[in-house]
Amino acid sequence: MSQINKLKIFNDPIYGFITIPNPLIYDLIQHSYFQRLRRISQMGLSYLVYPGANHTRFHHALGCMHLMQKAVEVLRFKEVSISSEEENALYIAILLHDIGHGPFSHAMESSIVEDVHHEEISLLFMEQLNNEFNGQLSLAIQVFKGDYHRKFMLQLISSQLDMDRMDYLKRDSFYSGVSEGNVNSERLIQMMNVVDDVLVIEEKGIYSVEKFLMSRRLMYWQVYLHKTSLVAELILTKILKRAKELTERGLVLPCSEPLLFFMQNKVNLETFDTKTLSLFAQLDDFDIISALKSWQNQEDFILSTLSKMIINRDLLKIKLTNDKVSMEELLIQKERFSIQNNISLTESNYFIFKGKIKSQAYSKVAEPIRILNKDLTIEDVVEASDQLNLKSLSKLVTKYYICFPKQLV
C-alpha cells in the first residue's frame, strides 16, 4: 500500500474530520490490538441508563489524537520547540493510552485479572508493538512512562487537564445526552503554553478551566457514578468473581477460549507474559455478553440470577447515603435472603453488600493546573481563581452505598 493511501480521514461526530498524520499511525490503527477497541465500550454499562452511550474506546482514542494534533499546532505557533520525533511520540502515546482496557472498561480490573491496572496493560501492549515496529515506539513509551525530560509532554497525555479528559468529557456528554459535560476543548487548547518545560494555561483561559472542572464534577455524579451504572458494574464484577470461583471448583462454564483462560488461571502483573497478552487482546465486550447469555441458564443460582439481572436490566436496588451503612442492617437482610433462597450467608454476599465511592473534581495533591498570569507569575488554578466553588471542587466527596435485591424492599 502506498504511503499516500495511508493518510486517511475519519468522520467524527464531535470534531468533524480527523486526519491520520503519517503512515506509522495508520499501521498502528490497523493493528488488531487497536481494532479491538471498536469492541470495547467507552462507558461500560452506562448504556443501561443513557441509551445513546454506546460509543467505543476506538472513537475516544482517535478523538484524543485529534486534540493532540491541535495542541502541537498551538504550542508550535507559540514558539515551543517540538521536534517531529517528539510530535510523533505524543501522537502514539495518546493514541495507545487506553489500549489496555478490558471488556466493559473497569469491571475486569478487579475480577478477571488480579489488581492489574489498565495502564500497566497498555504499557505491555506498547512494548509488544514496539518489538513489531522495530523500536519506532521507544520515545512514545518513554513519554508515557514519564521518563522523558520534557515534563509538559506527559502532562498533555496524563494530568488534571490532558487530551484524554478533554475528549472523554466532551464525547461522553454528547453520546449520553448530558449537556453539562460539554467542555470547550478548543478554547482550552488555544490557551495552552509551556514555561520551563511545564504546561501552563494563559490567564485569559481561567474561566474555561473553571467550566472544565465543573463539567467534570457534574459528569462524575450524574453519569460515571450514576447509581444504576454503578450497581450494574458491581453486579458484573460479582458475576465474573462467581464464575471464577465455580471454575476453580472444576466446573467448566460455557464461554470463549480467551475468557476461559482468565477464568482458569490466576493472572497478575508477574504472570502477564506474551501468551497472556495475546489472549487478553482477544477479549472484548462480546465475550462477556455471550457468556452472560449462556450463564443465565446455569444451575448455579448465584451465577444465573446475577447474569439475568444484566441481560434483562433487572438490577439490584442501590441506595446512596452520606453516612456509613451499619453491619447490623446488612446482616438482617442477608439472613432473610439466604433463608428465602436456600443459600448460605456467605453466598448472600453476592446479592447484599455495601461500599463507598469517592470523587474529586480537582486534586490538590496531584500535579496542579498552572495559570500563567499576565505578569508572567505562575500559580495554581485554585489560588488564581476568584471562584469560591473551585475550592469546594478540590474537596474529596465520599458517598456510601448498599445494594440488595428488590424483593427485600
Side-chain angles (χ1 to χ4, degrees):
M1 185 182 260
S2 77
Q3 305 283 56
I4 292 293
N5 268 349
K6 291 185 175 183
L7 303 178
K8 304 271 185 198
I9 52 175
F10 287 95
N11 196 347
D12 182 68
I14 314 288
Y15 310 115
F17 292 118
I18 292 177
T19 55
I20 294 179
N22 60 56
L24 173 61
I25 299 286
Y26 174 87
D27 291 336
L28 286 170
I29 291 171
Q30 281 295 91
H31 197 283
S32 60
Y33 288 171
F34 191 81
Q35 288 293 320
R36 162 185 165 272
L37 296 181
R38 290 183 185 269
R39 303 185 300 278
I40 304 280
S41 63
Q42 169 71 12
M43 289 174 67
L45 290 157
S46 291
Y47 64 84
L48 294 175
V49 182
Y50 300 101
N54 270 310
H55 56 301
T56 66
R57 294 257 159 209
F58 183 85
H59 274 132
H60 166 60
L62 290 177
C64 291
M65 182 191 71
H66 173 75
L67 292 182
M68 188 65 86
Q69 286 171 288
K70 297 282 175 210
V72 167
E73 199 180 299
V74 165
L75 293 176
R76 278 187 173 155
F77 180 74
K78 293 178 182 177
E79 297 181 348
V80 176
S81 77
I82 299 172
S83 69
S84 56
E85 288 79 16
E86 288 172 332
E87 175 186 5
N88 214 25
L90 285 170
Y91 296 159
I92 294 168
I94 197 69
L95 186 72
L96 304 180
H97 77 284
D98 265 352
I99 201 169
H101 267 291
F104 292 109
S105 300
H106 298 282
M108 315 300 286
E109 285 176 29
S110 46
S111 51
I112 282 199
V113 291
E114 317 250 325
D115 297 318
V116 186
H117 197 262
H118 71 267
E119 282 182 0
E120 294 168 317
I121 303 174
S122 291
L123 197 53
L124 294 172
F125 273 124
M126 286 164 91
E127 281 160 355
Q128 181 63 31
L129 286 166
N130 200 27
N131 293 337
E132 290 181 33
F133 285 88
N134 306 318
Q136 291 183 83
L137 281 73
S138 297
L139 186 57
I141 290 171
Q142 222 183 321
V143 171
F144 184 78
K145 285 163 79 173
D147 293 344
Y148 194 57
H149 66 278
R150 304 194 72 186
K151 201 175 171 183
F152 79 90
M153 294 197 171
L154 176 64
Q155 290 174 298
L156 289 169
I157 294 156
S158 178
S159 68
Q160 299 208 68
L161 187 63
D162 55 24
M163 303 304 121
D164 175 33
R165 289 182 183 190
M166 274 188 223
D167 181 81
Y168 77 61
L169 287 173
K170 202 171 175 67
R171 190 169 298 277
D172 297 349
S173 155
F174 176 86
Y175 281 97
S176 63
V178 177
S179 57
E180 285 84 352
N182 188 8
V183 297
N184 191 347
S185 49
E186 235 166 72
R187 178 160 173 83
L188 282 165
I189 289 170
Q190 284 297 332
M191 294 298 119
M192 285 182 168
N193 209 331
V194 172
V195 176
D196 298 330
D197 269 333
V198 172
L199 194 67
V200 293
I201 302 290
E202 290 161 6
E203 191 182 339
K204 54 181 184 260
I206 194 162
Y207 301 117
S208 304
V209 176
E210 288 171 358
K211 163 77 166 60
F212 167 84
L213 292 172
M214 186 53 85
S215 299
R216 190 162 185 267
R217 176 179 176 267
L218 293 170
M219 284 296 283
Y220 265 83
W221 288 117
Q222 212 172 321
V223 180
Y224 307 128
L225 297 175
H226 185 288
K227 62 179 192 171
T228 308
S229 311
L230 177 65
V231 76
E233 192 166 299
L234 291 165
I235 293 169
L236 182 55
T237 308
K238 298 269 181 197
I239 292 170
L240 295 168
K241 192 177 160 212
R242 180 62 173 177
K244 201 157 185 174
E245 200 178 290
L246 294 171
T247 307
E248 281 165 8
R249 288 185 202 165
L251 192 69
V252 180
L253 294 170
C255 64
S256 69
E257 273 179 46
L259 185 54
L260 190 62
F261 171 84
F262 286 94
M263 289 292 159
Q264 291 174 336
N265 295 278
K266 260 193 163 42
V267 176
N268 54 33
L269 201 55
E270 283 69 53
T271 57
F272 221 109
D273 55 16
T274 317
K275 182 200 172 205
T276 310
L277 190 68
S278 142
L279 284 160
F280 187 86
Q282 293 171 50
L283 273 181
D284 55 48
D285 291 5
F286 295 96
D287 294 77
I288 303 297
I289 291 294
S290 61
L292 296 187
K293 285 169 77 177
S294 297
W295 295 348
Q296 63 182 342
N297 303 315
Q298 285 294 306
E299 277 179 30
D300 183 71
F301 170 76
I302 298 168
L303 189 66
S304 65
T305 309
L306 292 175
S307 297
K308 280 177 193 156
M309 285 181 183
I310 299 283
I311 295 295
N312 304 321
R313 199 198 175 279
D314 189 9
L315 307 168
L316 294 170
K317 196 100 180 109
I318 179 168
K319 267 188 189 166
L320 285 181
T321 161
N322 293 325
D323 308 310
K324 286 186 177 178
V325 180
S326 74
M327 284 306 292
E328 292 74 42
E329 189 186 340
L330 219 56
L331 196 59
I332 294 164
Q333 296 208 9
K334 281 182 190 174
E335 283 169 350
R336 274 176 59 199
F337 188 74
S338 56
I339 292 164
Q340 274 174 11
N341 296 284
N342 197 23
I343 59 171
S344 71
L345 260 182
T346 312
E347 288 175 327
S348 67
N349 287 336
Y350 278 101
F351 298 92
I352 300 161
F353 49 90
K354 62 176 188 153
K356 61 181 175 184
I357 45 174
K358 293 177 178 178
S359 176
Q360 190 176 24
Y362 181 70
S363 166
K364 282 183 161 178
V365 184
E367 182 87 29
I369 296 174
R370 295 178 176 89
I371 301 295
L372 175 66
N373 294 317
K374 287 190 177 70
D375 61 4
L376 300 184
T377 57
I378 293 172
E379 56 185 335
D380 187 324
V381 66
V382 173
E383 309 309 322
S385 168
D386 55 5
Q387 289 281 343
L388 285 172
N389 64 8
L390 269 206
K391 286 192 171 57
S392 62
L393 284 181
S394 53
K395 211 175 78 185
L396 184 66
V397 180
T398 304
K399 289 188 182 179
Y400 301 90
Y401 62 80
I402 176 170
C403 301
F404 51 90
K406 286 177 180 165
Q407 61 262 45
L408 290 178
V409 177

